[in-house]
Amino acid sequence: MNQPRIDTSPKVSDEVRRTTCYMCACRCGINVHMKDGRVAYIEGNRDHPVNKGVLCAKGSAGIMQVNAPSRLRAPLKRVGPRGSGAFEEISWDEALDLAVSWLKPIRDTAPEKLAFFTGRDQSQSFTGWWAQQFGTPNFAAHGGFCSVNMAAAGIYTMGGAFWEFGQPDWDHTKLFILFGVAEDHDSNPIKMGIGEIKARGARVVGVNPIRSGYNAVADDWLGITPGTDGLLILSLVHLLLKAGKVDLDYLARFTNAPVLVNGDPKSPEHGLFLRDDDGKELVMDRASGKLAPFDQPGVRPDLAARHRRAGITHRTVFQHMAERYLDDRYAPEAVAGETGIPAKKIRALAAEIARVAFDEAITLEREWTDFRGETHKVMTGRPVSFHAMRGISAHSNGFQTARALHVLQILLGSVETPGGFRFKPPYPKPATAHPKPHCKATPGAPLDGPHLGYVQGPDDLCLTADGSPVRIDKAYTWENPMSAHGLMHMVISNAHAGDPYRIDTLFMYMANMSWNSSMNTGGVMQMLTDTDDNGDYVIPRIIYSDAYSSEMVAYADLILPDTTYLERHDCISLLDRPICEADAAADAIRWPVVQPDRDVRGFQSVLLDLGARLGLPGMVDEGGAAKYADYADYIVNHERKPGIGPLAGWRTGGDGRGAPNPRQIDRYIENGGFWVSHIPDAAAYYKPWNAAYQDWAVKLGLFDSPQPYLFQLYVEPLRRFQLAAEGHGERQPPEHLRERIKATLDPLPIWYAPFEDGHADPVEYPIHALTQRPMAMYHSWGTQNAWLRQLHGVNPLYLPTKLWQAHGFADGDWAQVSSVHGTITVPVAHMAALNENTVWTWNAIGKRKGAWALDENAPEARKGFLLNHLIHELLPARGDGLRWSNSDPVTGQAAWFDLRVKIEKVPPPDRSQPAYPPIKSPVGQGPGTLAWKVGE
Amino acid sequence: MHPAPSIILFTTLSGLGFGLLAFLGLGMPGSTGWVAFAFFAIAYALAGGGLVASTFHLGHPERALKAFTQWRSSWLSREAWTSTATLTVMGLYAIGRVFFDADWQVLGWLGAALAVVTVACTAMIYASLRAVPRWYNWLTPVHFLTLSAAGGALLAGQVTIATPLLALAAAVQMAIWMHGDGALARSGTTLASATGLQGGTVRAFEPPHTGTNYLLREMVHVVGRKHATRLRAIALILGYGLPILLLLLPFNHWLGLLAVLTHVLGILASRWLFFAQAEHVVGLYYGKR
Amino acid sequence: MTTLPQSTDRKLGLVIDLDTCVGCHACVISCKGWNTENYGAPLSDTDAYGANPSGTFLNRVHSYEVQPPEGTAQLVHFPKSCLHCENAPCVTVCPTGASYKRVEDGIVLVNESDCIGCGLCAWACPYGARELDAVEQVMKKCTLCVDRIYNENLPEEDREPACVRTCPAGARHFGDLGDPESDVSQLVAARGGVDLMAEQGTQPVNKYLPPRPRDRLDDVDVLAPYLEPVTTGPQGFLGWLDRALDALPGGKE
Ligand SMILES: Nc1nc2c(c(=O)[nH]1)N[C@H]1C(S)=C(S)[C@@H](COP(=O)(O)OP(=O)(O)OC[C@H]3O[C@@H](n4cnc5c(=O)[nH]c(N)nc54)[C@H](O)[C@@H]3O)O[C@H]1N2
Ligand SMILES: Nc1nc2c(c(=O)[nH]1)N[C@H]1C(S)=C(S)[C@@H](COP(=O)(O)OP(=O)(O)OC[C@H]3O[C@@H](n4cnc5c(=O)[nH]c(N)nc54)[C@H](O)[C@@H]3O)O[C@H]1N2
Ligand code: SF4
Ligand code: SF4
Ligand code: SF4
Ligand code: SF4
Ligand code: SF4
Ligand SMILES: [Mo]
């Protein structure tokens, strides 16, 4: 047969440039294939610690992101009214002069009048430092509306959380239980991990109201009622405790379970730990029967100890736990109704956990020495691992729910043991090793320290002398004392309300606040355009940096156009949110693999330029000249502490610590854009207590001296806030918050119903409404991508069979969906594998007409919609004269998923509602047909 | 299947044209000179026009000659050959009739046979597609052949033959509809077999893309039940009933012409249904049929 | 050359694991990227930023729900590209010979310079694995990355299809299904791999591994002993705790 001869070995590219993906915070390594100096094809980097060669849809579609017609082209100055989208292009000098003319007077007189908030910023250690040098207390990134519950609960409990802080021991785990995750930041590693463990025959259990994605491949699915995971978890704790299926040895050695709690109800220290003169928590030594500091060499902490002193019995944390959780209110039968999970299934899950943890325990023959100096021959693992994300954290009970999950893992002894959950450097790092928040602003001077941190009690709150909030977002106040990431979602509404004060300039970076990243989207647009009696904008000035023509661009006065991710230097630093693995520390860079073809500049470089023009300390030399030429220069030469800089690899004198190395960036590029340093085998587990790990971490510069600690099953700082609410101490909460603080800031995990339940009538609004991230889209950015938008161009609201049938819906129907706050009209579709009281849709598909260089009739703008119109940053009024915030009372995390709605079938409108008028596109509209090969 | 106008026109017209050619080849009518010229002109216009129309459907009509290469396996390639052969042979035969007043019978019979084979090849293009159960069936060639025969007879003015042929074609038409309505179900291809998924009822949840694509445009066309019934009635009445009635009336050229016209209209409707009602099994993947 | 080869030396194809595919569309996009830049004409998109975007893709991921008679419904993500059928109807219908099945490895390809864009092969394919490119007007289909799997300009480990290389969940496998000893054949045997639409007689080379049985936690009886209470009531629990602590290594001497 004569079949055509084809070239099976065509040239693939001229050159491969290796850098780091930016389509999400996973930050995979990519090989960018170049032809004729242009990007031709992007694939995963096999050597990269994060993705090991694989790449997700967004990463593979990067070429359409770099070439997107929505890219901004030059600095823009607003010429029409805010929100119209009318701009003129200006030069960079004009733009920077304008910015300086706004910012300089603020810095000299009242630095807090600048609110600088960044979105999913991957350079937060730098932007935070900039804000600190400027001197405003008003800085945070997006964590407050994203997942601070997960982060803070993890750090307060065990010195790290899931998310980017740690991962399951994929190589050894035998049972993997996933709570409320659709995609997460660790996007490729989770998929790789699930694939790996399934190939091994290990089991995956998904707890999620919706059975798609990871939950679809889960061997078992628990279609839980939203907001009730805490109950389910505490019921598991109840069953495991009752059956004695907890790791007593682990609890006694590595957690505060044996620490004695002050049992004197009259004491101002009631509920705090008994401590020695050095402030060390006291345990009872089982061998000697005497009190001893927890870390005393040779001590055998007694979980069952009682200590009588002056007629008062002090008991261990573990006894408090047993007392609380053995109670029948946590019995499966008692929680089945609320959680929607049959008691039988809860028992089955608990039994399966017990079986795998204790019958299938694994041991690694690795000797290690703990912080008390005791050497262990082997590492024993309880191969049950967990992972959770916003499904449990984006509720108003999310902090306590996340705490409950961490406590469950710790009870099993499956944290930092083989087959369980493992931290990634620089974690573990307990709350006490983090800074406390700083908020003291002085005109013309830097802030007194880093903005964000971990409070230990009322003394650390950011309050003025009269008790009012220092920060514009009201972080670290009695409303949400442990708001470790700030509250970006409250900035615009507080600034608009002038509560606690008015600001002058709102400066934002990569956050689409007038659209998908705000609650109450319509309200935010209104606040951003609202004027006072003089006709001036209530928020006088808005500077914004975006790379694309997003909805937010239209609402700014000055736009600083950023480059795309392949056109700039970036630094994924150990000081920030690094790319480490449980077995290794790692960091990475991005570098300009192509040069911008527009008048745009990397935002970090612009920020340095701005800092130099403002004369900010650290950004100018003695002569007042700019200290750094650009961000690349900063990355290499900036030192946070002597020898510690943004990048840990290839420093002069070694990795981790050492003087700046002028060739550092070249070395990264040669190595594929990243640096990795492996943790020695003997240091790979038990990290918080493992002397070998502690030493390794000190050597690398993660901390300055070994700092072993105990896992905090009982979180003392929470108790300190309760004590204040009970009337102890100088700083006192306002009256209306006392009861709530007493009830919700419990030092042991509790469950309470999501707040919206108490504000919206659950009978009138019986349905839970959720969003999920589509794996192939990143928030709003995905839509400008010609390939990805074909996958998700519209988003129906998915209804479970019960509701589908009850309302007589058929394919193609539309529904009106109402919450206490608003109404939307949207297309519906049927999904059977769904909790019967839950509806959901894909997140951030709906677009404003005129944005993203799309046709005004794009399906995203016509049929796509946002659930955000139904969600408010405040809870509905309840007659107590107060508007309670729709946030977690501990951390202030936005409670996106507390939303309750009702549904009604309506005749199909011509487009989804509400529909806003188009904004004028500053970049025109994208081309019609795409058909190009770079190589031709 | 998408009822593309070019294909509907092609199959309808060329079916008629080749039918007419077959009759002409058999010497029915055995006219010569200008009359013959007129008949042949009509036949060529239909058959050739149909073929030309079919090239509108091609992405690269300039490469159409390549379609002759695969006669060993491809019915489309065979059709290319047989249609060209028919047109060539019948062209020679026509020359005899028109210019030389001659009836080169062997050529005529050969041409007629080729015309029949051409129609059969056209039909086999569809009948061989297992992915379209409604077509994958011996009734499809019978349908095409009886229709061509009846239409050809009608055009050739063979009233006595045309009437029973039309009746026969109508019967086949009804049979193919009735048979076709259950074809997908009988084919054994279901969403379950298409996905290999077992253990329950399989339902399409989310399509791979929210927009449309080539497959949906080309292969998935949903015809409303009411609409289909109405069109079937129209096809039956216009394509078969009325022509038969008109032929049964005392013969008159105008009535003959009218019969031809209604027949063509009816067959266009029938062909539209032939495509529009044909469910490609790929529709199952999209939860559509 | 549209007659099919009597037999092929190898039967290269994909094995897709429906048990682990999370439906992330990574394979869809890497396929789009590779094949836009490589074999034949680029895969075009029309109305790319408009009201009705539509493009050519060689691999698409569907999702299906399976509702068992009793119990909870399941969701299955289902990637689908050309199955490189042994008895490929798309090949035999092709009038021009543009469509052919390679003798050496069984890959079904379209020689674009011979393709007249008649669309018949797409009609013949029961799986919807062929798409006519709207701009180039030639038939496009999965090439099994024939320009990767033998490509000497790629490192050995990268000589596999783009979609396989990129799949984060490891749900796609590539190999010779004609060799019963190959990894893919072993996998198919072990996991009961199935043919799609076997009744169509196409004899697909690609195989699908069905999802493993789901929702079996409910067999609670075998697990019940694991939850046997150590005691009843909080007081009893302390007693148990004392005994259990004594039993620990280094407990009571
Ligand atoms: N592809 C892609 N990846 C992304 C992003 C993206 O936009 N696209 N965004 C990134 C960002 S910023 C973030 S914060 C992460 C978030 O990653 P995820 O935490 O995975 O966030 P969501 O997609 O919001 O998914 C929340 C999940 O929780 C479930 N859920 C909701 N309420 C409950 C509940 O009460 N209980 C339980 N058990 N489950 C519940 C929902 O059904 C959903 O599956 O993803 C990051 N990764
Ligand atoms: N209903 C609902 N709403 C939600 C959520 C939800 O689950 N449900 N999730 C919330 C969460 S967790 C998050 S994190 C937010 C996310 O919300 P946002 O952080 O607002 O997410 P994006 O839409 O990605 O917007 C980021 C902006 O960054 C711009 N950008 C992209 N690349 C660059 C770049 O290189 N440089 C610059 N300067 N700009 C760039 C984009 O164009 C876009 O305008 O959404 C929140 N909103
Ligand atoms: S998960 Fe995807 S988008 Fe995120 S960094 Fe990795 S490849 Fe890029
Ligand atoms: S899947 Fe379709 S295109 Fe591929 S070989 Fe089989 S019939 Fe042909
Ligand atoms: S479209 Fe091209 S490949 Fe397909 S049958 Fe026609 S000529 Fe052959
Ligand atoms: S083998 Fe290649 S062409 Fe085929 S689906 Fe995979 S990536 Fe696409
Ligand atoms: S890349 Fe893998 S997991 Fe993702 S859709 Fe494709 S086959 Fe499924
Ligand atoms: Mo987020």
Side-chain angles (χ1 to χ4, degrees):
Chain A
M1 287 199 154
N2 59 334
Q3 57 189 31
R5 208 169 308 156
I6 53 173
D7 181 6
T8 55
S9 283
K11 189 172 144 188
V12 175
S13 52
D14 306 335
E15 188 195 346
V16 179
R17 299 189 171 170
R18 293 178 299 170
T19 180
T20 309
C21 186
Y22 192 58
M23 250 58 76
C24 84
C26 188
R27 297 156 297 179
C28 302
I30 50 175
N31 299 342
V32 182
H33 287 265
M34 308 291 299
K35 284 184 186 169
D36 304 331
R38 296 171 62 199
V39 179
Y41 178 66
I42 300 177
E43 66 186 359
N45 177 352
R46 284 195 191 267
D47 303 326
H48 200 275
V50 171
N51 57 316
K52 301 180 175 71
V54 308
L55 209 63
C56 82
K58 296 161 283 147
S60 301
I63 184 170
M64 302 312 274
Q65 212 79 4
V66 184
N67 291 300
S70 50
R71 283 167 306 158
L72 297 174
R73 296 167 189 160
L76 298 172
K77 190 173 132 188
R78 182 172 58 78
V79 293
R82 260 197 209 152
S84 67
F87 287 98
E88 68 178 12
E89 295 194 347
I90 57 174
S91 72
W92 274 101
D93 272 334
E94 262 177 284
L96 291 167
D97 286 348
L98 191 58
V100 169
S101 75
W102 294 351
L103 296 177
K104 182 94 183 138
I106 300 179
R107 181 163 199 269
D108 292 343
T109 56
E112 70 279 3
K113 296 269 177 200
L114 167 66
F116 180 38
F117 282 79
T118 67
R120 275 157 313 102
D121 182 355
Q122 297 185 15
S123 55
Q124 216 177 310
S125 75
F126 165 70
T127 52
W129 176 74
W130 188 94
Q132 196 182 319
Q133 303 312 100
F134 186 92
T136 177
N138 293 321
F139 166 83
H142 78 297
F145 61 59
C146 180
S147 216
V148 62
N149 272 340
M150 184 55 69
I155 287 187
Y156 278 109
T157 307
M158 54 185 197
F162 306 115
W163 200 8
E164 295 148 287
F165 305 84
Q167 64 189 175
D169 186 1
W170 298 115
D171 293 343
H172 297 105
T173 195
K174 295 182 183 172
L175 176 62
F176 174 53
I177 306 177
L178 190 67
F179 280 81
V181 181
E183 173 70 340
D184 203 350
H185 297 279
D186 221 5
S187 151
N188 277 331
I190 292 177
K191 295 181 186 73
M192 291 153 71
I194 289 178
E196 182 188 327
I197 65 175
K198 287 201 124 215
R200 259 201 287 118
R203 283 164 74 103
V204 178
V205 176
V207 182
N208 198 310
I210 309 163
R211 191 178 209 175
S212 63
Y214 304 153
N215 292 284
V217 302
D219 298 281
D220 282 276
W221 173 63
L222 279 68
I224 194 163
T225 301
T228 64
D229 300 73
L231 264 187
L232 171 67
I233 295 163
L234 293 179
S235 186
L236 295 173
V237 167
H238 168 90
L239 290 167
L240 292 168
L241 271 179
K242 206 167 171 179
K245 291 290 193 294
V246 292
D247 190 336
L248 296 176
D249 191 37
Y250 180 96
L251 289 169
R253 288 174 191 274
F254 306 132
T255 77
N256 69 9
V259 170
L260 291 159
V261 179
N262 185 324
D264 180 359
K266 293 202 200 66
S267 162
E269 309 222 316
H270 179 220
L272 301 183
F273 298 142
L274 300 188
R275 293 173 184 271
D276 67 8
D277 295 341
D278 295 336
K280 291 226 165 113
E281 297 95 313
L282 289 171
V283 299
M284 185 75 82
D285 182 9
R286 202 165 163 80
S288 68
K290 292 214 175 74
L291 287 182
F294 75 94
D295 58 352
Q296 177 178 299
V299 73
R300 298 237 156 264
D302 186 358
L303 294 169
R306 285 159 178 259
H307 175 61
R308 274 188 74 82
R309 201 160 59 182
I312 305 284
T313 305
H314 308 288
R315 294 179 302 150
T316 63
V317 164
F318 192 66
Q319 289 172 65
H320 284 276
M321 292 179 68
E323 187 184 347
R324 175 173 295 179
Y325 302 122
L326 286 174
D327 193 298
D328 275 345
R329 63 181 290 240
Y330 295 112
E333 290 70 18
V335 305
E338 241 153 339
T339 57
I341 312 288
K344 192 174 150 207
K345 193 122 188 165
I346 300 175
R347 279 181 197 284
L349 180 59
E352 176 68 0
I353 291 173
R355 185 186 69 76
V356 177
F358 297 98
D359 271 24
E360 296 201 19
I362 49 178
T363 46
L364 301 185
E365 300 292 329
R366 290 192 204 173
E367 196 174 272
W368 71 284
T369 303
D370 71 24
F371 65 104
R372 296 187 183 97
E374 192 174 334
T375 299
H376 307 256
K377 288 273 165 249
V378 295
M379 295 180 168
T380 303
R382 314 250 169 244
V384 182
S385 58
F386 296 83
H387 187 85
M389 242 311 258
R390 292 184 65 256
I392 64 173
S393 65
H395 288 285
S396 53
N397 57 15
F399 177 85
Q400 289 287 10
T401 300
R403 280 260 301 132
L405 188 54
H406 298 318
V407 164
L408 170 61
Q409 309 186 76
I410 294 170
L411 286 172
L412 291 169
S414 75
V415 180
E416 270 298 326
T417 55
F421 168 80
R422 305 171 72 194
F423 293 111
K424 305 178 190 177
Y427 299 92
K429 187 174 170 187
T432 45
H434 286 259
K436 289 178 175 177
H438 293 78
C439 62
K440 190 171 174 310
T442 315
L447 200 70
D448 58 340
H451 299 85
L452 302 174
Y454 287 81
V455 297
Q456 294 300 321
D459 293 346
D460 301 332
L461 293 179
C462 293
L463 300 173
T464 62
D466 68 8
S468 68
V470 175
R471 292 175 52 108
I472 187 72
D473 60 355
K474 305 190 189 177
Y476 306 111
T477 64
W478 293 104
E479 274 188 46
N480 25 249
M482 296 168 140
S483 37
H485 290 176
L487 287 82
M488 185 156 181
H489 52 297
M490 300 308 294
V491 172
I492 292 173
S493 56
N494 291 355
H496 174 258
D499 172 18
Y501 46 81
R502 295 215 174 275
I503 60 162
D504 182 84
T505 300
L506 179 61
F507 186 3
M508 298 227 187
Y509 164 54
M510 58 175 303
N512 204 6
M513 294 305 287
S514 68
W515 200 246
N516 53 290
S517 55
S518 276
M519 297 167 140
N520 182 20
T521 301
V524 166
M525 290 190 266
Q526 201 270 326
M527 293 179 225
L528 291 172
T529 49
D530 200 15
T531 50
D532 60 18
D533 295 341
N534 302 328
D536 297 328
Y537 287 119
V538 173
I539 301 175
R541 293 179 174 121
I542 302 178
I543 309 176
Y544 179 51
S545 168
D546 201 309
Y548 305 100
S549 174
S550 68
E551 283 88 351
M552 183 61 204
V553 166
Y555 289 86
D557 307 318
L558 174 64
I559 298 290
L560 306 173
D562 203 352
T563 52
T564 70
Y565 74 122
L566 295 181
E567 299 166 320
R568 64 169 176 253
H569 281 104
D570 260 329
C571 164
I572 296 124
S573 168
L574 281 176
L575 304 176
D576 200 340
R577 304 164 68 182
I579 54 160
C580 303
E581 292 290 293
D583 274 324
D587 61 15
I589 61 161
R590 284 185 202 93
W591 56 285
V593 300
V594 286
Q595 292 303 322
D597 56 357
R598 316 167 305 291
D599 193 14
V600 298
R601 293 183 187 173
F603 176 68
Q604 288 79 5
S605 291
V606 169
L607 212 50
L608 282 166
D609 190 348
L610 202 54
R613 288 172 194 243
L614 288 165
L616 300 187
M619 283 168 247
V620 286
D621 59 22
E622 298 77 46
K627 191 163 165 196
Y628 302 109
D630 56 13
Y631 193 45
D633 190 8
Y634 165 92
I635 293 173
V636 172
N637 292 310
H638 176 75
E639 284 177 286
R640 230 3 105 83
K641 286 186 284 193
I644 304 280
L647 290 174
W650 297 287
R651 303 193 68 82
T652 305
D655 286 343
R657 292 174 190 270
N661 169 6
R663 285 209 57 237
Q664 192 179 31
I665 286 191
D666 300 334
R667 299 301 299 272
Y668 271 81
I669 293 173
E670 284 156 24
N671 195 53
F674 65 92
W675 162 85
V676 53
S677 166
H678 288 276
I679 300 175
D681 270 4
Y685 295 91
Y686 299 95
K687 290 176 195 136
W689 322 290
N690 186 330
Y693 175 79
Q694 297 283 320
D695 292 344
W696 177 85
V698 169
K699 198 172 129 255
L700 205 70
L702 299 181
F703 24 91
D704 292 333
S705 60
Q707 27 195 280
Y709 62 94
L710 296 178
F711 281 170
Q712 307 289 299
L713 293 168
Y714 186 100
V715 173
E716 211 183 18
L718 285 163
R719 179 62 200 148
R720 294 204 182 98
F721 288 105
Q722 277 189 327
L723 279 172
E726 289 164 12
H728 297 285
E730 289 285 293
R731 271 195 164 165
Q732 286 291 304
E735 287 312 312
H736 71 275
L737 286 171
R738 269 186 208 280
E739 286 315 310
R740 194 177 83 170
I741 290 171
K742 282 188 224 165
T744 58
L745 274 78
D746 196 300
L748 284 176
I750 51 162
W751 181 84
Y752 49 88
F755 285 165
E756 183 153 339
D757 288 11
H759 289 255
D761 179 357
V763 180
E764 190 181 354
Y765 300 98
I767 304 165
H768 300 268
L770 304 175
T771 55
Q772 296 202 100
R773 278 127 178 80
M775 291 181 181
M777 307 293 277
Y778 201 47
H779 297 279
S780 57
W781 321 354
T783 296
Q784 63 197 313
N785 190 300
W787 293 347
L788 300 179
R789 71 183 288 252
Q790 293 182 51
L791 307 181
H792 293 285
V794 294
N795 54 320
L797 186 76
Y798 287 105
L799 268 55
T801 309
K802 190 180 93 175
L803 291 173
W804 187 257
Q805 289 171 350
H807 291 270
F809 280 114
D811 282 344
D813 279 348
W814 288 61
Q816 181 171 302
V817 186
S818 316
S819 70
V820 223
H821 168 57
T823 296
I824 58 178
T825 309
V826 302
V828 293
H830 173 210
M831 181 185 200
L834 177 58
N835 173 288
E836 62 173 19
N837 298 313
T838 300
V839 298
W840 72 279
T841 191
W842 295 119
N843 187 41
I845 300 299
K847 293 285 130 61
R848 176 90 181 261
K849 276 183 277 175
W852 304 103
L854 299 182
D855 187 320
E856 285 182 11
N857 280 315
E860 294 91 338
R862 216 174 53 233
K863 282 178 90 178
F865 68 93
L866 294 181
L867 217 52
N868 301 47
H869 297 296
L870 299 180
I871 311 175
H872 202 287
E873 66 273 6
L874 298 175
L875 288 167
R878 200 174 42 176
D880 52 7
L882 296 163
R883 286 299 294 274
W884 297 81
S885 128
N886 186 12
S887 301
D888 186 282
V890 183
T891 63
Q893 150 127 36
W896 302 94
F897 295 158
D898 280 3
L899 178 65
R900 281 176 163 272
V901 299
K902 62 181 172 186
I903 282 182
E904 194 187 331
K905 184 168 154 181
V906 292
D910 64 336
R911 54 174 64 233
S912 56
Q913 300 293 331
Y916 291 91
I919 42 186
K920 185 169 176 295
S921 169
V923 292
Q925 198 202 306
T929 297
L930 296 182
W932 36 262
K933 251 188 217 298
V934 169
E936 268 171 14
Chain B
M1 304 294 290
H2 172 63
S6 60
I7 301 205
I8 292 172
L9 263 180
F10 155 62
T11 54
T12 310
L13 299 186
S14 74
L16 277 170
F18 284 103
L20 176 54
L21 281 180
F23 279 97
L24 292 176
L26 294 176
M28 304 157 78
S31 40
T32 55
W34 283 113
V35 179
F37 180 80
F39 271 111
F40 278 107
I42 292 172
Y44 271 84
L46 291 171
L51 286 178
V52 170
S54 76
T55 63
F56 293 151
H57 190 68
L58 298 184
H60 283 278
E62 78 282 3
R63 299 177 189 157
L65 281 183
K66 294 190 196 263
F68 286 87
T69 59
Q70 303 305 315
W71 51 271
R72 277 185 311 241
S73 66
S74 163
W75 286 105
L76 181 51
S77 193
R78 288 170 191 157
E79 187 207 36
W81 276 109
T82 55
S83 59
T84 323
T86 312
L87 294 180
T88 316
V89 171
M90 286 305 288
L92 292 176
Y93 179 67
I95 290 172
R97 280 284 193 92
V98 175
F99 299 108
F100 303 104
D101 202 4
D103 181 7
W104 299 327
Q105 238 187 35
V106 181
L107 271 185
W109 287 345
L110 181 63
L114 281 171
V116 172
V117 174
T118 304
V119 173
C121 286
T122 308
M124 284 311 291
I125 295 174
Y126 304 104
S128 67
L129 295 178
R130 197 165 184 165
V132 188
R134 187 182 278 277
W135 294 345
Y136 183 66
N137 183 328
W138 58 270
L139 274 171
T140 300
V142 174
H143 169 55
F144 272 58
L145 284 167
T146 52
L147 207 56
S148 271
L154 189 60
L155 278 179
Q158 306 301 306
V159 178
T160 37
I161 308 182
T163 318
L165 278 179
L166 277 170
L168 178 63
V172 175
Q173 174 77 82
M174 290 204 277
I176 200 169
W177 278 338
M178 271 157 28
H179 190 266
D181 284 346
L184 179 59
R186 275 193 312 274
S187 73
T189 299
T190 59
L191 185 49
S193 83
T195 57
L197 295 173
Q198 287 173 344
T201 326
V202 188
R203 188 177 74 87
F205 173 59
E206 267 197 329
H209 289 62
T210 52
T212 182
N213 64 27
Y214 169 79
L215 298 166
L216 289 170
R217 284 192 299 268
E218 186 77 356
M219 251 81 86
V220 181
H221 189 94
V222 184
V223 199
R225 199 184 287 274
K226 261 208 203 118
H227 192 49
T229 318
R230 211 174 307 132
L231 270 170
R232 279 186 179 178
I234 291 173
L236 263 190
I237 294 168
L238 289 185
Y240 308 94
L242 259 182
I244 292 178
L245 212 79
L246 290 169
L247 291 186
L248 289 179
L249 293 177
F251 186 77
N252 166 315
H253 277 289
W254 292 110
L255 287 183
L257 187 64
L258 196 60
V260 169
L261 282 180
T262 64
H263 176 72
V264 173
L265 283 179
I267 299 316
L268 283 174
S270 154
R271 275 293 137 83
W272 189 90
L273 285 168
F274 179 78
F275 289 98
Q277 283 202 300
E279 294 136 324
H280 195 288
V281 293
V282 76
L284 294 169
Y285 284 113
Y286 287 86
K288 297 183 175 149
R289 3 183 324 188
Chain C
M1 218 199 21
T2 48
T3 42
L4 288 162
Q6 286 294 308
S7 67
T8 59
D9 302 343
R10 296 197 294 162
K11 296 177 188 171
L12 295 187
L14 301 175
V15 173
I16 292 167
D17 190 347
L18 299 180
D19 191 58
T20 46
C21 170
V22 295
C24 68
H25 294 264
C27 51
V28 174
I29 300 295
S30 71
C31 172
K32 176 102 176 167
W34 176 262
N35 288 290
T36 289
E37 198 47 37
N38 292 282
Y39 187 94
L43 306 178
S44 70
D45 302 287
T46 53
D47 203 13
Y49 302 97
N52 204 4
S54 177
T56 309
F57 285 81
L58 310 184
N59 177 28
R60 296 182 184 260
V61 180
H62 297 250
S63 50
Y64 299 101
E65 263 184 353
V66 183
Q67 176 68 65
E70 300 269 307
T72 37
Q74 293 151 28
L75 201 138
V76 182
H77 302 290
F78 189 92
K80 181 164 60 62
S81 51
C82 171
L83 301 121
H84 298 281
C85 307
E86 288 186 64
N87 189 16
C90 57
V91 168
T92 50
V93 299
C94 177
T96 64
S99 273
Y100 65 103
K101 187 170 176 72
R102 284 159 52 94
V103 180
E104 56 270 54
D105 51 21
I107 297 178
V108 174
L109 280 184
V110 173
N111 175 5
E112 292 179 9
S113 53
D114 274 358
C115 174
I116 56 173
C118 66
L120 195 53
C121 52
W123 288 16
C125 169
Y127 308 104
R130 291 176 166 242
E131 302 191 12
L132 192 77
D133 188 78
V135 171
E136 203 65 27
Q137 290 292 323
V138 293
M139 195 53 71
K140 303 295 293 189
K141 66 176 294 299
C142 158
T143 64
L144 209 63
C145 288
V146 68
D147 47 2
R148 286 185 64 92
I149 58 178
Y150 304 109
N151 196 326
E152 282 158 17
N153 298 315
L154 286 172
E156 183 102 39
E157 56 181 359
D158 280 347
R159 293 180 202 161
E160 61 179 1
C163 57
V164 174
R165 188 192 186 284
T166 212
C167 174
R172 305 175 74 86
H173 306 269
F174 164 73
D176 181 4
L177 287 138
D179 169 7
E181 299 305 312
S182 68
D183 288 352
V184 279
S185 298
Q186 300 282 320
L187 192 59
V188 170
R191 293 276 308 282
V194 297
D195 284 352
L196 304 186
M197 292 191 190
E199 69 287 350
Q200 287 272 336
T202 50
Q203 291 172 261
V205 170
N206 286 12
K207 297 283 182 277
Y208 282 75
L209 307 179
R212 295 183 173 95
R214 300 274 193 253
D215 299 318
R216 293 198 302 180
L217 252 191
D218 300 319
D219 309 339
V220 72
D221 297 348
V222 288
L223 289 171
Y226 291 95
L227 293 183
E228 205 57 66
V230 288
T231 166
T232 47
Q235 276 321 107
F237 184 80
L238 271 184
W240 165 81
L241 181 58
D242 234 8
R243 289 192 301 279
L245 289 169
D246 282 348
L248 286 179
K252 199 156 255 166
E253 267 86 298

